[in-house]
Amino acid sequence: MQFLEWNDTYNIGVKEIDNQHRGLFDIISKLFTSRMVEPDGKYFFLTLNKFAEYAQVHFSTEERYMQEAQYPKFEEHQREHNLFIAQVLQYVREVQNKKPDIENKTLVFLKEWYLAHILGTDRDLEIFFKTKGFK
Ligand SMILES: [Fe+2]
Ligand SMILES: [Fe+2]
């Protein structure tokens, strides 16, 4: 299984958010690579923790922009963020407890999330932020 190739069309046009989306992308890529080369899974665990932290930083940044812009779908978007964090922390625990096949399940989950949220739900912000003059 492979992660995605980076493509500049993934950007939504607000620099701070785009940099963080790229940062999240890069950490997920590292998880995919480490899964293939690493025997004991220590790096995978540490990197997944780093990812969970960085995702929380990113969500607070994005939510700040949404609030400032009075984005009408703020609450449902924030719910998606909160749900995601809860799920990632659950994966962190399961990786720590070495649940069978958990690393592969984590990767499938992260890839699906990137496609559905970053390249899906967050896309809706692009036009809205543009009308607010954010960049
Ligand atoms: Fe985002
Ligand atoms: Fe988001």
Side-chain angles (χ1 to χ4, degrees):
M1 185 181 41
Q2 291 218 306
F3 193 45
L4 313 163
E5 291 284 331
W6 178 261
N7 188 313
D8 283 341
T9 62
Y10 294 172
N11 288 330
I12 66 161
V14 178
K15 197 129 196 78
E16 192 178 9
I17 293 178
D18 286 334
N19 286 341
Q20 292 178 344
H21 283 170
R22 182 64 201 259
L24 292 166
F25 182 97
D26 289 341
I27 303 178
I28 299 176
S29 298
K30 278 188 192 144
L31 285 166
F32 269 80
T33 316
S34 83
R35 179 72 194 94
M36 289 184 276
V37 297
E38 192 192 27
D40 66 357
K42 211 177 266 173
Y43 179 83
F44 188 94
F45 177 68
L46 292 174
T47 308
L48 185 62
N49 270 289
K50 198 164 92 181
F51 174 82
E53 255 173 58
Y54 193 50
Q56 292 178 74
V57 170
H58 167 58
F59 292 161
S60 18
T61 303
E62 199 174 271
E63 287 165 15
R64 180 162 45 78
Y65 278 94
M66 285 193 271
Q67 276 179 310
E68 209 178 305
Q70 297 182 302
Y71 181 58
K73 291 192 260 177
F74 173 74
E75 279 176 21
E76 62 181 269
H77 196 130
Q78 188 183 39
R79 251 197 306 278
E80 271 192 44
H81 287 170
N82 292 341
L83 187 67
F84 178 72
I85 290 300
Q87 288 172 315
V88 169
L89 295 177
Q90 177 67 29
Y91 278 101
V92 167
R93 280 190 293 273
E94 291 179 356
V95 169
Q96 188 167 31
N97 296 332
K98 302 196 187 301
K99 203 175 159 184
D101 203 34
I102 189 61
E103 293 180 348
N104 287 328
K105 283 184 187 143
T106 306
L107 292 176
V108 170
F109 168 72
L110 292 177
K111 183 174 177 177
E112 280 171 3
W113 171 76
Y114 205 92
L115 289 165
H117 191 90
I118 304 289
L119 304 182
T121 309
D122 285 356
R123 276 251 81 97
D124 194 43
L125 298 170
E126 181 173 8
I127 295 163
F128 193 76
F129 285 169
K130 197 175 268 173
T131 64
K132 298 283 170 179
F134 291 178
K135 47 178 128 143

